[in-house]
Amino acid sequence: MVTLYRTIRANLLIFSLLFLLAHVIYAAAEEHYPFADPADAQAFYALLGELRCVVCQNESLADSQATIAHTLREQVYEMKQQGLDDEAIIEYLVIRYGDFILFKPRLNPKTYVLWFGPGMFLIIALLFMIKTLKFKRERQ
Amino acid sequence: MKKYSWSVIPILLFVALFIFLWRGLSLEPQKLPSTFIEKPAPEFSLPALGEDKVMVTHLDLQSDKVTLLSVWATWCMYCKMQHALLMDIAASGRVNLIGLNYHDRMDKALEWLADYGNPYEKVAFDRYGQVGIDYGVYGTPETFIIDYNGVIREKIIGPITLQTWEEQWLPFIERLEQTY
């Protein structure tokens, strides 16, 4: 059991690293976005990775080749250069394109079901399971 | 009896989930609703296509007719498809038709209008798509329907066809006309 857990964890780690690497290499190879501080560049690509391309919807702004993604990348780059924080940039994009542009939906009344629904389902399922098991045991 | 009341819950949940997922099959996630519905058209000021020292602004979107702001580009195939219909709509004189030439080159845009006719009262030239971003444009053609107060009431995503115009958009415009 422990070995299985370890294997899964190691695999997950490798997958996430490869995934991150793929993002950075891909976007960086296509266009040139110079930053004075490498940490800023990293933050820039991390932000792009969280934003959905509105045309090719399973790609992030970091990977997409669509014209609109290119335009929005430039826009995000300029805003970063002006010293705006992620919060402000995300707000700018959400005003224009809606919550859909975020891969990770924000927590608000419209998304409660999305965020808490699975947990609720799990609780209901557990309650039901306990009830059924008890019922079976009583019959025995 | 108590046993039955419990066992019905998963079935109800299953039915609810089924309905949700079934509806999900007919959603069109590639059509993003505009975030500007029921909001004033964002301010902008752009050079008019092919005219020196003339600007087109958001104030041109307010008139005594319902306004259509058509976002188009010469590289957009579907724009060509709906162009003849736009010519007919313009000829009917029913709406104030404004163009937003998006992410394009001025010489190409002018050539297009010379070749296929110019249905627009005015065309704003958005070279780098900056105003497009401010309007949440993500593809072409997109057409904003704007009321007498300069408020965006609807966004048509993709080309307008004779059928959707007659069955959907013209009645929509008629309703806007009646409310004022």
Side-chain angles (χ1 to χ4, degrees):
Chain A
M1 200 55 191
V2 176
T3 16
L4 181 68
Y5 173 69
R6 283 208 182 124
T7 319
I8 291 173
R9 200 175 54 175
N11 277 333
L12 275 179
L13 195 68
I14 292 168
F15 266 123
S16 354
L17 282 177
L18 282 177
F19 190 66
L20 276 178
L21 212 63
H23 264 244
V24 175
I25 289 171
Y26 197 89
E30 299 294 321
E31 292 154 20
H32 189 51
Y33 295 109
F35 281 93
D37 185 350
D40 286 344
Q42 215 162 22
F44 171 66
Y45 289 115
L47 176 61
L48 288 183
E50 281 173 32
L51 298 168
R52 187 196 302 272
C53 167
V54 278
V55 183
C56 28
Q57 300 179 345
N58 290 326
E59 288 186 303
S60 74
L61 279 189
D63 345 277
S64 178
Q65 297 279 15
T67 317
I68 180 76
H70 175 78
T71 312
L72 290 179
R73 268 200 294 275
E74 304 237 296
Q75 184 70 35
V76 171
Y77 177 69
E78 261 171 47
M79 290 171 93
K80 273 272 182 197
Q81 292 295 75
Q82 288 163 16
L84 287 162
D85 60 4
D86 286 6
E87 203 62 30
I89 295 171
I90 286 173
E91 190 57 33
Y92 171 92
L93 291 169
V94 166
I95 286 173
R96 288 161 178 76
Y97 292 97
D99 285 332
F100 194 79
I101 199 162
L102 305 171
F103 271 120
K104 188 178 166 193
R106 295 198 285 194
L107 189 61
N108 60 38
K110 265 163 93 180
T111 59
Y112 282 163
V113 177
L114 195 64
W115 278 103
F116 304 122
M120 292 296 291
F121 270 108
L122 187 67
I123 290 167
I124 291 168
L126 283 177
L127 283 178
F128 190 75
M129 194 180 80
I130 291 164
K131 197 85 178 168
T132 318
L133 288 178
K134 262 190 189 165
F135 179 71
K136 272 193 178 160
R137 194 172 297 160
E138 277 161 18
R139 280 229 306 205
Q140 281 168 0
Chain B
M1 268 325 276
K2 208 163 173 245
K3 192 181 94 184
Y4 284 113
S5 62
W6 262 94
S7 51
V8 84
I9 291 175
I11 296 168
L12 286 181
L13 281 177
F14 172 78
V15 170
L17 197 64
F18 183 84
I19 292 169
F20 264 103
L21 295 179
W22 183 260
R23 280 187 36 161
L25 285 178
S26 55
L27 290 179
E28 292 182 275
Q30 67 274 25
K31 289 197 174 179
L32 296 185
S34 173
T35 55
F36 294 104
I37 307 284
E38 306 301 328
K39 289 185 186 152
E43 291 181 14
F44 72 91
S45 183
L46 284 173
L49 186 70
E51 281 175 84
D52 270 347
K53 292 171 190 162
V54 179
M55 301 301 274
V56 181
T57 73
H58 56 283
L59 297 175
D60 290 307
L61 305 176
Q62 211 172 336
S63 99
D64 53 359
K65 296 175 189 169
V66 171
T67 296
L68 293 184
L69 175 67
S70 167
V71 185
W72 66 282
T74 55
W75 44 264
C76 153
M77 211 178 60
Y78 286 113
C79 298
K80 198 172 280 184
M81 216 175 94
Q82 71 167 12
H83 196 77
L85 182 64
L86 287 185
M87 293 297 289
D88 289 346
I89 292 170
S92 75
R94 181 124 195 184
V95 296
N96 172 38
L97 188 56
I98 305 290
L100 179 68
N101 182 233
Y102 171 75
H103 252 299
D104 213 343
R105 274 173 43 188
M106 189 173 266
D107 55 339
K108 285 193 171 180
L110 286 172
E111 195 187 314
W112 159 296
L113 292 181
D115 285 353
Y116 302 110
N118 183 358
Y120 305 108
E121 303 276 336
K122 289 175 176 174
V123 181
F125 181 57
D126 189 14
R127 176 73 185 88
Y128 298 104
Q130 203 57 41
V131 170
I133 292 181
D134 284 338
Y135 273 73
V137 169
Y138 64 93
T140 45
E142 288 183 15
T143 310
F144 292 87
I145 304 178
I146 299 162
D147 70 15
Y148 299 88
N149 295 321
V151 173
I152 294 176
R153 301 299 291 267
E154 185 59 276
K155 178 165 95 166
I156 307 169
I157 295 162
I160 308 170
T161 63
L162 187 60
Q163 192 185 1
T164 56
W165 175 252
E166 283 178 347
E167 288 174 7
Q168 209 174 346
W169 307 120
L170 194 57
F172 186 88
I173 289 165
E174 275 167 3
R175 281 199 297 280
L176 287 186
E177 287 168 346
Q178 280 158 12
T179 46
Y180 289 92

